[in-house]
Amino acid sequence: MLVRIGKADCKRGPLEKRLRRAKFILQLIITASRPLYVHEIQGALAINLEEQNVDFGGRYSTLPLDDLCGPIIQIHKNDLVEMIHPTAKE
């Protein structure tokens, strides 16, 4: 899936950063015990463990999550994010 994301439109930011973010977001969604909301994923992106800080203003995805992760995720009208199909988690 990440290879497919890497082949997406590269005009939307540095490829390496996009791949890292996409991988992190997919890991969050796959390992979560319940569907997550967009704001919860954005909050997780704001955490920097190396610097031990949280920066909600500077560390978030400016790209829509479904653009970043591709067609494997679905964002519902209530901002709930899920894998497009339950078997995609496997």
Side-chain angles (χ1 to χ4, degrees):
M1 186 66 203
L2 290 175
V3 171
R4 190 171 181 189
I5 292 168
K7 291 180 181 179
D9 185 7
C10 292
K11 297 175 186 173
R12 296 187 172 211
L15 179 61
E16 183 179 328
K17 182 178 179 181
R18 288 180 58 225
L19 288 175
R20 271 187 285 134
R21 287 222 167 164
K23 181 178 179 183
F24 179 71
I25 292 166
L26 291 173
Q27 287 173 332
L28 283 175
I29 294 168
I30 290 168
T31 59
S33 59
R34 62 171 178 79
L36 300 174
Y37 288 92
V38 171
H39 72 271
E40 292 174 313
I41 294 170
Q42 293 286 17
L45 289 170
I47 299 170
N48 185 333
L49 294 176
E50 291 176 7
E51 296 177 12
Q52 296 184 0
N53 66 19
V54 178
D55 181 7
F56 291 111
R59 292 183 47 87
Y60 62 94
S61 178
T62 56
L63 290 174
L65 299 181
D66 49 352
D67 282 355
L68 188 62
C69 295
I72 197 163
I73 68 167
Q74 178 178 8
I75 301 177
H76 299 280
K77 289 183 181 182
N78 63 352
D79 280 348
L80 196 65
V81 182
E82 293 183 291
M83 298 299 282
I84 196 74
H85 194 273
T87 58
K89 281 189 170 190
E90 300 168 3

